[in-house]
Amino acid sequence: MADLKLRHIPWSRSLRILWLMEEIGCDYELEIVREGGSLHDALCPIARVPALSDGNVTMHETGAMTEWLCETRAPRLGRAPGSAGRPGWLDWLHFGETLVGYVIAVQIKGAQNTDSDEMQRLEHGLGLLGDWLDGSEWLLSDFSGVDCHVGYSLWITSHVVGLDRHPVLQAYLSRCTARDAFRRARSLAE
């Protein structure tokens, strides 16, 4: 039996971790929790999901899981504490959660109207991300764990409000979803 176990709701933020574990190529056990089945249920789960167990360690926040997995199993996908790239890596890691927060606010309030405060915040975040990625293939010099984190956030954004006004982000999302590990994670998670 694998040391790693992921509790996952389809469409939820734990897809980030499932994708990351597929990128790493590590053994893990997957428990799929069917809760409600809607996009809203996946974005705002009631149960303590996601959860990643690694031996005696259990985590519920996908940002912490990403750091943990990169530090313990895939240093090539992270940036070590004290390294020059660490601040940017951490910044993008936490930005991924901020972006999903904006999407949740738009989804819950039904605020797809471009004049809503929620939509303006989301558009601002998408603009920042698009500016950063303009001319870059990945968020950092090469693919890393933060691309799983932010890539998921952008993927869910594309399902809630679309990315028609953001061709740079559409291209980035296409690169993310074309990755074999993302495809495997999606097929396992549904």
PDB file of all heavy atoms in Angstrom, residues 122-159:
ATOM      1  N   LEU A 122     -11.691  39.272 -10.248  1.00  0.00           N
ATOM      2  CA  LEU A 122     -11.245  38.138 -11.053  1.00  0.00           C
ATOM      3  C   LEU A 122     -10.524  38.630 -12.302  1.00  0.00           C
ATOM      4  O   LEU A 122      -9.442  38.136 -12.635  1.00  0.00           O
ATOM      5  CB  LEU A 122     -12.428  37.243 -11.420  1.00  0.00           C
ATOM      6  CG  LEU A 122     -12.115  36.053 -12.322  1.00  0.00           C
ATOM      7  CD1 LEU A 122     -11.053  35.140 -11.705  1.00  0.00           C
ATOM      8  CD2 LEU A 122     -13.390  35.264 -12.627  1.00  0.00           C
ATOM      9  N   GLU A 123     -11.077  39.584 -12.999  1.00  0.00           N
ATOM     10  CA  GLU A 123     -10.447  40.113 -14.211  1.00  0.00           C
ATOM     11  C   GLU A 123      -9.082  40.734 -13.903  1.00  0.00           C
ATOM     12  O   GLU A 123      -8.141  40.581 -14.678  1.00  0.00           O
ATOM     13  CB  GLU A 123     -11.358  41.127 -14.903  1.00  0.00           C
ATOM     14  CG  GLU A 123     -12.478  40.501 -15.688  1.00  0.00           C
ATOM     15  CD  GLU A 123     -12.001  39.638 -16.852  1.00  0.00           C
ATOM     16  OE1 GLU A 123     -10.984  39.976 -17.507  1.00  0.00           O
ATOM     17  OE2 GLU A 123     -12.642  38.605 -17.102  1.00  0.00           O
ATOM     18  N   HIS A 124      -8.975  41.407 -12.766  1.00  0.00           N
ATOM     19  CA  HIS A 124      -7.680  41.981 -12.375  1.00  0.00           C
ATOM     20  C   HIS A 124      -6.651  40.861 -12.168  1.00  0.00           C
ATOM     21  O   HIS A 124      -5.513  40.949 -12.642  1.00  0.00           O
ATOM     22  CB  HIS A 124      -7.836  42.820 -11.105  1.00  0.00           C
ATOM     23  CG  HIS A 124      -6.549  43.385 -10.615  1.00  0.00           C
ATOM     24  ND1 HIS A 124      -5.879  44.403 -11.257  1.00  0.00           N
ATOM     25  CD2 HIS A 124      -5.782  43.041  -9.550  1.00  0.00           C
ATOM     26  CE1 HIS A 124      -4.757  44.673 -10.606  1.00  0.00           C
ATOM     27  NE2 HIS A 124      -4.682  43.859  -9.565  1.00  0.00           N
ATOM     28  N   GLY A 125      -7.059  39.811 -11.462  1.00  0.00           N
ATOM     29  CA  GLY A 125      -6.155  38.677 -11.239  1.00  0.00           C
ATOM     30  C   GLY A 125      -5.759  38.004 -12.547  1.00  0.00           C
ATOM     31  O   GLY A 125      -4.588  37.659 -12.744  1.00  0.00           O
ATOM     32  N   LEU A 126      -6.717  37.837 -13.440  1.00  0.00           N
ATOM     33  CA  LEU A 126      -6.409  37.241 -14.741  1.00  0.00           C
ATOM     34  C   LEU A 126      -5.461  38.136 -15.535  1.00  0.00           C
ATOM     35  O   LEU A 126      -4.563  37.643 -16.222  1.00  0.00           O
ATOM     36  CB  LEU A 126      -7.698  36.983 -15.530  1.00  0.00           C
ATOM     37  CG  LEU A 126      -8.637  35.924 -14.948  1.00  0.00           C
ATOM     38  CD1 LEU A 126      -9.945  35.891 -15.719  1.00  0.00           C
ATOM     39  CD2 LEU A 126      -7.971  34.557 -14.912  1.00  0.00           C
ATOM     40  N   GLY A 127      -5.653  39.442 -15.411  1.00  0.00           N
ATOM     41  CA  GLY A 127      -4.757  40.375 -16.091  1.00  0.00           C
ATOM     42  C   GLY A 127      -3.324  40.266 -15.582  1.00  0.00           C
ATOM     43  O   GLY A 127      -2.372  40.263 -16.371  1.00  0.00           O
ATOM     44  N   LEU A 128      -3.166  40.177 -14.265  1.00  0.00           N
ATOM     45  CA  LEU A 128      -1.822  40.017 -13.683  1.00  0.00           C
ATOM     46  C   LEU A 128      -1.162  38.738 -14.187  1.00  0.00           C
ATOM     47  O   LEU A 128       0.014  38.737 -14.576  1.00  0.00           O
ATOM     48  CB  LEU A 128      -1.895  39.976 -12.152  1.00  0.00           C
ATOM     49  CG  LEU A 128      -2.248  41.264 -11.435  1.00  0.00           C
ATOM     50  CD1 LEU A 128      -2.469  40.990  -9.949  1.00  0.00           C
ATOM     51  CD2 LEU A 128      -1.153  42.300 -11.631  1.00  0.00           C
ATOM     52  N   LEU A 129      -1.917  37.670 -14.187  1.00  0.00           N
ATOM     53  CA  LEU A 129      -1.398  36.386 -14.642  1.00  0.00           C
ATOM     54  C   LEU A 129      -1.050  36.434 -16.120  1.00  0.00           C
ATOM     55  O   LEU A 129       0.012  35.970 -16.542  1.00  0.00           O
ATOM     56  CB  LEU A 129      -2.416  35.281 -14.354  1.00  0.00           C
ATOM     57  CG  LEU A 129      -2.034  33.852 -14.720  1.00  0.00           C
ATOM     58  CD1 LEU A 129      -0.751  33.429 -14.007  1.00  0.00           C
ATOM     59  CD2 LEU A 129      -3.183  32.909 -14.381  1.00  0.00           C
ATOM     60  N   GLY A 130      -1.914  37.021 -16.919  1.00  0.00           N
ATOM     61  CA  GLY A 130      -1.671  37.138 -18.354  1.00  0.00           C
ATOM     62  C   GLY A 130      -0.437  37.970 -18.659  1.00  0.00           C
ATOM     63  O   GLY A 130       0.359  37.611 -19.537  1.00  0.00           O
ATOM     64  N   ASP A 131      -0.261  39.065 -17.927  1.00  0.00           N
ATOM     65  CA  ASP A 131       0.932  39.906 -18.122  1.00  0.00           C
ATOM     66  C   ASP A 131       2.196  39.125 -17.815  1.00  0.00           C
ATOM     67  O   ASP A 131       3.195  39.227 -18.528  1.00  0.00           O
ATOM     68  CB  ASP A 131       0.869  41.160 -17.244  1.00  0.00           C
ATOM     69  CG  ASP A 131      -0.170  42.169 -17.703  1.00  0.00           C
ATOM     70  OD1 ASP A 131      -0.697  42.027 -18.844  1.00  0.00           O
ATOM     71  OD2 ASP A 131      -0.479  43.077 -16.916  1.00  0.00           O
ATOM     72  N   TRP A 132       2.171  38.347 -16.739  1.00  0.00           N
ATOM     73  CA  TRP A 132       3.342  37.565 -16.348  1.00  0.00           C
ATOM     74  C   TRP A 132       3.673  36.494 -17.386  1.00  0.00           C
ATOM     75  O   TRP A 132       4.829  36.260 -17.713  1.00  0.00           O
ATOM     76  CB  TRP A 132       3.118  36.907 -14.985  1.00  0.00           C
ATOM     77  CG  TRP A 132       4.320  36.133 -14.529  1.00  0.00           C
ATOM     78  CD1 TRP A 132       4.537  34.799 -14.669  1.00  0.00           C
ATOM     79  CD2 TRP A 132       5.478  36.668 -13.895  1.00  0.00           C
ATOM     80  NE1 TRP A 132       5.747  34.453 -14.155  1.00  0.00           N
ATOM     81  CE2 TRP A 132       6.361  35.578 -13.667  1.00  0.00           C
ATOM     82  CE3 TRP A 132       5.855  37.937 -13.478  1.00  0.00           C
ATOM     83  CZ2 TRP A 132       7.591  35.741 -13.050  1.00  0.00           C
ATOM     84  CZ3 TRP A 132       7.080  38.100 -12.852  1.00  0.00           C
ATOM     85  CH2 TRP A 132       7.930  37.002 -12.661  1.00  0.00           C
ATOM     86  N   LEU A 133       2.628  35.839 -17.899  1.00  0.00           N
ATOM     87  CA  LEU A 133       2.837  34.728 -18.824  1.00  0.00           C
ATOM     88  C   LEU A 133       3.088  35.170 -20.263  1.00  0.00           C
ATOM     89  O   LEU A 133       3.522  34.354 -21.075  1.00  0.00           O
ATOM     90  CB  LEU A 133       1.623  33.786 -18.789  1.00  0.00           C
ATOM     91  CG  LEU A 133       1.562  32.865 -17.580  1.00  0.00           C
ATOM     92  CD1 LEU A 133       0.183  32.239 -17.468  1.00  0.00           C
ATOM     93  CD2 LEU A 133       2.640  31.803 -17.644  1.00  0.00           C
ATOM     94  N   ASP A 134       2.815  36.415 -20.576  1.00  0.00           N
ATOM     95  CA  ASP A 134       3.020  36.887 -21.944  1.00  0.00           C
ATOM     96  C   ASP A 134       4.491  36.702 -22.321  1.00  0.00           C
ATOM     97  O   ASP A 134       5.373  37.312 -21.737  1.00  0.00           O
ATOM     98  CB  ASP A 134       2.613  38.355 -22.070  1.00  0.00           C
ATOM     99  CG  ASP A 134       2.450  38.792 -23.512  1.00  0.00           C
ATOM    100  OD1 ASP A 134       2.404  37.922 -24.406  1.00  0.00           O
ATOM    101  OD2 ASP A 134       2.373  40.014 -23.745  1.00  0.00           O
ATOM    102  N   GLY A 135       4.741  35.806 -23.238  1.00  0.00           N
ATOM    103  CA  GLY A 135       6.110  35.509 -23.662  1.00  0.00           C
ATOM    104  C   GLY A 135       6.786  34.390 -22.881  1.00  0.00           C
ATOM    105  O   GLY A 135       7.944  34.071 -23.139  1.00  0.00           O
ATOM    106  N   SER A 136       6.071  33.793 -21.919  1.00  0.00           N
ATOM    107  CA  SER A 136       6.636  32.696 -21.122  1.00  0.00           C
ATOM    108  C   SER A 136       5.793  31.446 -21.303  1.00  0.00           C
ATOM    109  O   SER A 136       4.566  31.522 -21.388  1.00  0.00           O
ATOM    110  CB  SER A 136       6.651  33.046 -19.628  1.00  0.00           C
ATOM    111  OG  SER A 136       7.458  34.161 -19.388  1.00  0.00           O
ATOM    112  N   GLU A 137       6.460  30.308 -21.325  1.00  0.00           N
ATOM    113  CA  GLU A 137       5.731  29.053 -21.441  1.00  0.00           C
ATOM    114  C   GLU A 137       5.111  28.645 -20.102  1.00  0.00           C
ATOM    115  O   GLU A 137       3.982  28.181 -20.041  1.00  0.00           O
ATOM    116  CB  GLU A 137       6.673  27.957 -21.942  1.00  0.00           C
ATOM    117  CG  GLU A 137       5.961  26.682 -22.267  1.00  0.00           C
ATOM    118  CD  GLU A 137       6.881  25.643 -22.889  1.00  0.00           C
ATOM    119  OE1 GLU A 137       8.120  25.805 -22.844  1.00  0.00           O
ATOM    120  OE2 GLU A 137       6.351  24.655 -23.409  1.00  0.00           O
ATOM    121  N   TRP A 138       5.873  28.818 -19.016  1.00  0.00           N
ATOM    122  CA  TRP A 138       5.436  28.422 -17.677  1.00  0.00           C
ATOM    123  C   TRP A 138       5.609  29.585 -16.723  1.00  0.00           C
ATOM    124  O   TRP A 138       6.250  30.581 -17.052  1.00  0.00           O
ATOM    125  CB  TRP A 138       6.213  27.191 -17.196  1.00  0.00           C
ATOM    126  CG  TRP A 138       6.052  26.037 -18.131  1.00  0.00           C
ATOM    127  CD1 TRP A 138       7.001  25.502 -18.952  1.00  0.00           C
ATOM    128  CD2 TRP A 138       4.849  25.301 -18.409  1.00  0.00           C
ATOM    129  NE1 TRP A 138       6.474  24.479 -19.703  1.00  0.00           N
ATOM    130  CE2 TRP A 138       5.157  24.331 -19.392  1.00  0.00           C
ATOM    131  CE3 TRP A 138       3.553  25.363 -17.920  1.00  0.00           C
ATOM    132  CZ2 TRP A 138       4.215  23.437 -19.880  1.00  0.00           C
ATOM    133  CZ3 TRP A 138       2.609  24.466 -18.414  1.00  0.00           C
ATOM    134  CH2 TRP A 138       2.949  23.513 -19.372  1.00  0.00           C
ATOM    135  N   LEU A 139       5.083  29.467 -15.509  1.00  0.00           N
ATOM    136  CA  LEU A 139       5.163  30.555 -14.538  1.00  0.00           C
ATOM    137  C   LEU A 139       6.593  30.873 -14.133  1.00  0.00           C
ATOM    138  O   LEU A 139       6.934  32.026 -13.896  1.00  0.00           O
ATOM    139  CB  LEU A 139       4.333  30.231 -13.293  1.00  0.00           C
ATOM    140  CG  LEU A 139       2.829  30.302 -13.530  1.00  0.00           C
ATOM    141  CD1 LEU A 139       2.073  29.671 -12.374  1.00  0.00           C
ATOM    142  CD2 LEU A 139       2.395  31.737 -13.741  1.00  0.00           C
ATOM    143  N   LEU A 140       7.416  29.853 -14.035  1.00  0.00           N
ATOM    144  CA  LEU A 140       8.827  30.046 -13.703  1.00  0.00           C
ATOM    145  C   LEU A 140       9.647  29.621 -14.915  1.00  0.00           C
ATOM    146  O   LEU A 140       9.105  29.460 -15.999  1.00  0.00           O
ATOM    147  CB  LEU A 140       9.173  29.276 -12.439  1.00  0.00           C
ATOM    148  CG  LEU A 140       8.310  29.652 -11.224  1.00  0.00           C
ATOM    149  CD1 LEU A 140       8.617  28.761 -10.045  1.00  0.00           C
ATOM    150  CD2 LEU A 140       8.477  31.121 -10.852  1.00  0.00           C
ATOM    151  N   SER A 141      10.909  29.421 -14.756  1.00  0.00           N
ATOM    152  CA  SER A 141      11.759  29.101 -15.903  1.00  0.00           C
ATOM    153  C   SER A 141      11.376  27.795 -16.582  1.00  0.00           C
ATOM    154  O   SER A 141      11.583  27.625 -17.779  1.00  0.00           O
ATOM    155  CB  SER A 141      13.229  29.065 -15.467  1.00  0.00           C
ATOM    156  OG  SER A 141      13.402  28.144 -14.404  1.00  0.00           O
ATOM    157  N   ASP A 142      10.818  26.862 -15.823  1.00  0.00           N
ATOM    158  CA  ASP A 142      10.348  25.605 -16.387  1.00  0.00           C
ATOM    159  C   ASP A 142       9.117  25.153 -15.604  1.00  0.00           C
ATOM    160  O   ASP A 142       8.761  25.758 -14.601  1.00  0.00           O
ATOM    161  CB  ASP A 142      11.447  24.536 -16.370  1.00  0.00           C
ATOM    162  CG  ASP A 142      12.103  24.356 -15.004  1.00  0.00           C
ATOM    163  OD1 ASP A 142      11.670  25.003 -14.031  1.00  0.00           O
ATOM    164  OD2 ASP A 142      13.042  23.565 -14.899  1.00  0.00           O
ATOM    165  N   PHE A 143       8.461  24.111 -16.073  1.00  0.00           N
ATOM    166  CA  PHE A 143       7.262  23.612 -15.409  1.00  0.00           C
ATOM    167  C   PHE A 143       7.583  23.274 -13.959  1.00  0.00           C
ATOM    168  O   PHE A 143       8.624  22.688 -13.662  1.00  0.00           O
ATOM    169  CB  PHE A 143       6.728  22.366 -16.132  1.00  0.00           C
ATOM    170  CG  PHE A 143       5.455  21.842 -15.537  1.00  0.00           C
ATOM    171  CD1 PHE A 143       4.238  22.350 -15.932  1.00  0.00           C
ATOM    172  CD2 PHE A 143       5.495  20.857 -14.557  1.00  0.00           C
ATOM    173  CE1 PHE A 143       3.056  21.880 -15.371  1.00  0.00           C
ATOM    174  CE2 PHE A 143       4.329  20.385 -13.993  1.00  0.00           C
ATOM    175  CZ  PHE A 143       3.107  20.898 -14.401  1.00  0.00           C
ATOM    176  N   SER A 144       6.661  23.633 -13.047  1.00  0.00           N
ATOM    177  CA  SER A 144       6.863  23.336 -11.627  1.00  0.00           C
ATOM    178  C   SER A 144       5.521  23.058 -10.963  1.00  0.00           C
ATOM    179  O   SER A 144       4.464  23.144 -11.602  1.00  0.00           O
ATOM    180  CB  SER A 144       7.569  24.508 -10.929  1.00  0.00           C
ATOM    181  OG  SER A 144       6.680  25.597 -10.761  1.00  0.00           O
ATOM    182  N   GLY A 145       5.573  22.766  -9.683  1.00  0.00           N
ATOM    183  CA  GLY A 145       4.358  22.501  -8.915  1.00  0.00           C
ATOM    184  C   GLY A 145       3.386  23.670  -8.922  1.00  0.00           C
ATOM    185  O   GLY A 145       2.172  23.462  -8.836  1.00  0.00           O
ATOM    186  N   VAL A 146       3.884  24.903  -9.047  1.00  0.00           N
ATOM    187  CA  VAL A 146       2.966  26.040  -9.076  1.00  0.00           C
ATOM    188  C   VAL A 146       2.150  26.069 -10.363  1.00  0.00           C
ATOM    189  O   VAL A 146       1.048  26.626 -10.387  1.00  0.00           O
ATOM    190  CB  VAL A 146       3.663  27.394  -8.824  1.00  0.00           C
ATOM    191  CG1 VAL A 146       4.224  27.452  -7.424  1.00  0.00           C
ATOM    192  CG2 VAL A 146       4.702  27.707  -9.857  1.00  0.00           C
ATOM    193  N   ASP A 147       2.647  25.450 -11.427  1.00  0.00           N
ATOM    194  CA  ASP A 147       1.848  25.362 -12.645  1.00  0.00           C
ATOM    195  C   ASP A 147       0.651  24.432 -12.426  1.00  0.00           C
ATOM    196  O   ASP A 147      -0.429  24.682 -12.975  1.00  0.00           O
ATOM    197  CB  ASP A 147       2.703  24.907 -13.835  1.00  0.00           C
ATOM    198  CG  ASP A 147       3.683  25.984 -14.260  1.00  0.00           C
ATOM    199  OD1 ASP A 147       3.234  27.066 -14.666  1.00  0.00           O
ATOM    200  OD2 ASP A 147       4.899  25.732 -14.160  1.00  0.00           O
ATOM    201  N   CYS A 148       0.806  23.400 -11.622  1.00  0.00           N
ATOM    202  CA  CYS A 148      -0.342  22.556 -11.261  1.00  0.00           C
ATOM    203  C   CYS A 148      -1.343  23.376 -10.448  1.00  0.00           C
ATOM    204  O   CYS A 148      -2.553  23.297 -10.666  1.00  0.00           O
ATOM    205  CB  CYS A 148       0.095  21.344 -10.442  1.00  0.00           C
ATOM    206  SG  CYS A 148       1.130  20.161 -11.310  1.00  0.00           S
ATOM    207  N   HIS A 149      -0.825  24.151  -9.540  1.00  0.00           N
ATOM    208  CA  HIS A 149      -1.674  24.918  -8.636  1.00  0.00           C
ATOM    209  C   HIS A 149      -2.442  26.013  -9.388  1.00  0.00           C
ATOM    210  O   HIS A 149      -3.662  26.101  -9.306  1.00  0.00           O
ATOM    211  CB  HIS A 149      -0.793  25.515  -7.530  1.00  0.00           C
ATOM    212  CG  HIS A 149      -1.491  25.658  -6.232  1.00  0.00           C
ATOM    213  ND1 HIS A 149      -1.770  24.607  -5.402  1.00  0.00           N
ATOM    214  CD2 HIS A 149      -1.970  26.745  -5.619  1.00  0.00           C
ATOM    215  CE1 HIS A 149      -2.387  25.032  -4.330  1.00  0.00           C
ATOM    216  NE2 HIS A 149      -2.534  26.335  -4.436  1.00  0.00           N
ATOM    217  N   VAL A 150      -1.728  26.849 -10.113  1.00  0.00           N
ATOM    218  CA  VAL A 150      -2.352  27.942 -10.855  1.00  0.00           C
ATOM    219  C   VAL A 150      -3.093  27.402 -12.082  1.00  0.00           C
ATOM    220  O   VAL A 150      -4.165  27.898 -12.435  1.00  0.00           O
ATOM    221  CB  VAL A 150      -1.310  29.010 -11.245  1.00  0.00           C
ATOM    222  CG1 VAL A 150      -1.909  30.072 -12.155  1.00  0.00           C
ATOM    223  CG2 VAL A 150      -0.722  29.660  -9.992  1.00  0.00           C
ATOM    224  N   GLY A 151      -2.530  26.382 -12.719  1.00  0.00           N
ATOM    225  CA  GLY A 151      -3.181  25.788 -13.886  1.00  0.00           C
ATOM    226  C   GLY A 151      -4.571  25.276 -13.558  1.00  0.00           C
ATOM    227  O   GLY A 151      -5.516  25.475 -14.328  1.00  0.00           O
ATOM    228  N   TYR A 152      -4.728  24.623 -12.404  1.00  0.00           N
ATOM    229  CA  TYR A 152      -6.059  24.186 -11.982  1.00  0.00           C
ATOM    230  C   TYR A 152      -6.977  25.394 -11.819  1.00  0.00           C
ATOM    231  O   TYR A 152      -8.135  25.372 -12.262  1.00  0.00           O
ATOM    232  CB  TYR A 152      -6.011  23.403 -10.658  1.00  0.00           C
ATOM    233  CG  TYR A 152      -7.386  23.331 -10.022  1.00  0.00           C
ATOM    234  CD1 TYR A 152      -8.307  22.374 -10.437  1.00  0.00           C
ATOM    235  CD2 TYR A 152      -7.784  24.273  -9.071  1.00  0.00           C
ATOM    236  CE1 TYR A 152      -9.585  22.337  -9.899  1.00  0.00           C
ATOM    237  CE2 TYR A 152      -9.060  24.243  -8.532  1.00  0.00           C
ATOM    238  CZ  TYR A 152      -9.953  23.284  -8.945  1.00  0.00           C
ATOM    239  OH  TYR A 152     -11.217  23.262  -8.432  1.00  0.00           O
ATOM    240  N   SER A 153      -6.486  26.437 -11.158  1.00  0.00           N
ATOM    241  CA  SER A 153      -7.307  27.629 -10.920  1.00  0.00           C
ATOM    242  C   SER A 153      -7.786  28.232 -12.231  1.00  0.00           C
ATOM    243  O   SER A 153      -8.938  28.661 -12.352  1.00  0.00           O
ATOM    244  CB  SER A 153      -6.527  28.666 -10.110  1.00  0.00           C
ATOM    245  OG  SER A 153      -6.184  28.137  -8.853  1.00  0.00           O
ATOM    246  N   LEU A 154      -6.917  28.254 -13.200  1.00  0.00           N
ATOM    247  CA  LEU A 154      -7.286  28.781 -14.509  1.00  0.00           C
ATOM    248  C   LEU A 154      -8.256  27.832 -15.216  1.00  0.00           C
ATOM    249  O   LEU A 154      -9.201  28.278 -15.881  1.00  0.00           O
ATOM    250  CB  LEU A 154      -6.024  28.992 -15.339  1.00  0.00           C
ATOM    251  CG  LEU A 154      -6.129  29.947 -16.494  1.00  0.00           C
ATOM    252  CD1 LEU A 154      -6.623  31.312 -16.062  1.00  0.00           C
ATOM    253  CD2 LEU A 154      -4.772  30.075 -17.168  1.00  0.00           C
ATOM    254  N   TRP A 155      -8.058  26.546 -15.050  1.00  0.00           N
ATOM    255  CA  TRP A 155      -8.953  25.553 -15.646  1.00  0.00           C
ATOM    256  C   TRP A 155     -10.367  25.723 -15.100  1.00  0.00           C
ATOM    257  O   TRP A 155     -11.337  25.738 -15.857  1.00  0.00           O
ATOM    258  CB  TRP A 155      -8.402  24.156 -15.373  1.00  0.00           C
ATOM    259  CG  TRP A 155      -9.240  23.029 -15.872  1.00  0.00           C
ATOM    260  CD1 TRP A 155      -9.369  22.596 -17.163  1.00  0.00           C
ATOM    261  CD2 TRP A 155     -10.078  22.186 -15.083  1.00  0.00           C
ATOM    262  NE1 TRP A 155     -10.231  21.527 -17.221  1.00  0.00           N
ATOM    263  CE2 TRP A 155     -10.676  21.256 -15.957  1.00  0.00           C
ATOM    264  CE3 TRP A 155     -10.370  22.116 -13.729  1.00  0.00           C
ATOM    265  CZ2 TRP A 155     -11.555  20.272 -15.517  1.00  0.00           C
ATOM    266  CZ3 TRP A 155     -11.239  21.142 -13.286  1.00  0.00           C
ATOM    267  CH2 TRP A 155     -11.820  20.231 -14.180  1.00  0.00           C
ATOM    268  N   ILE A 156     -10.485  25.893 -13.775  1.00  0.00           N
ATOM    269  CA  ILE A 156     -11.815  26.055 -13.185  1.00  0.00           C
ATOM    270  C   ILE A 156     -12.404  27.401 -13.606  1.00  0.00           C
ATOM    271  O   ILE A 156     -13.599  27.521 -13.851  1.00  0.00           O
ATOM    272  CB  ILE A 156     -11.790  25.838 -11.649  1.00  0.00           C
ATOM    273  CG1 ILE A 156     -13.146  25.352 -11.147  1.00  0.00           C
ATOM    274  CG2 ILE A 156     -11.361  27.045 -10.888  1.00  0.00           C
ATOM    275  CD1 ILE A 156     -13.499  23.958 -11.517  1.00  0.00           C
ATOM    276  N   THR A 157     -11.566  28.417 -13.726  1.00  0.00           N
ATOM    277  CA  THR A 157     -12.020  29.730 -14.206  1.00  0.00           C
ATOM    278  C   THR A 157     -12.634  29.600 -15.594  1.00  0.00           C
ATOM    279  O   THR A 157     -13.683  30.183 -15.878  1.00  0.00           O
ATOM    280  CB  THR A 157     -10.852  30.737 -14.249  1.00  0.00           C
ATOM    281  OG1 THR A 157     -10.305  30.882 -12.940  1.00  0.00           O
ATOM    282  CG2 THR A 157     -11.302  32.092 -14.766  1.00  0.00           C
ATOM    283  N   SER A 158     -11.990  28.815 -16.439  1.00  0.00           N
ATOM    284  CA  SER A 158     -12.481  28.648 -17.810  1.00  0.00           C
ATOM    285  C   SER A 158     -13.876  28.023 -17.835  1.00  0.00           C
ATOM    286  O   SER A 158     -14.646  28.273 -18.761  1.00  0.00           O
ATOM    287  CB  SER A 158     -11.498  27.816 -18.640  1.00  0.00           C
ATOM    288  OG  SER A 158     -11.548  26.445 -18.292  1.00  0.00           O
ATOM    289  N   HIS A 159     -14.212  27.236 -16.817  1.00  0.00           N
ATOM    290  CA  HIS A 159     -15.532  26.614 -16.746  1.00  0.00           C
ATOM    291  C   HIS A 159     -16.588  27.537 -16.142  1.00  0.00           C
ATOM    292  O   HIS A 159     -17.776  27.349 -16.376  1.00  0.00           O
ATOM    293  CB  HIS A 159     -15.463  25.310 -15.944  1.00  0.00           C
ATOM    294  CG  HIS A 159     -14.789  24.214 -16.682  1.00  0.00           C
ATOM    295  ND1 HIS A 159     -13.420  24.058 -16.674  1.00  0.00           N
ATOM    296  CD2 HIS A 159     -15.273  23.241 -17.477  1.00  0.00           C
ATOM    297  CE1 HIS A 159     -13.110  23.019 -17.427  1.00  0.00           C
ATOM    298  NE2 HIS A 159     -14.209  22.510 -17.932  1.00  0.00           N
TER     299      HIS A 159
END
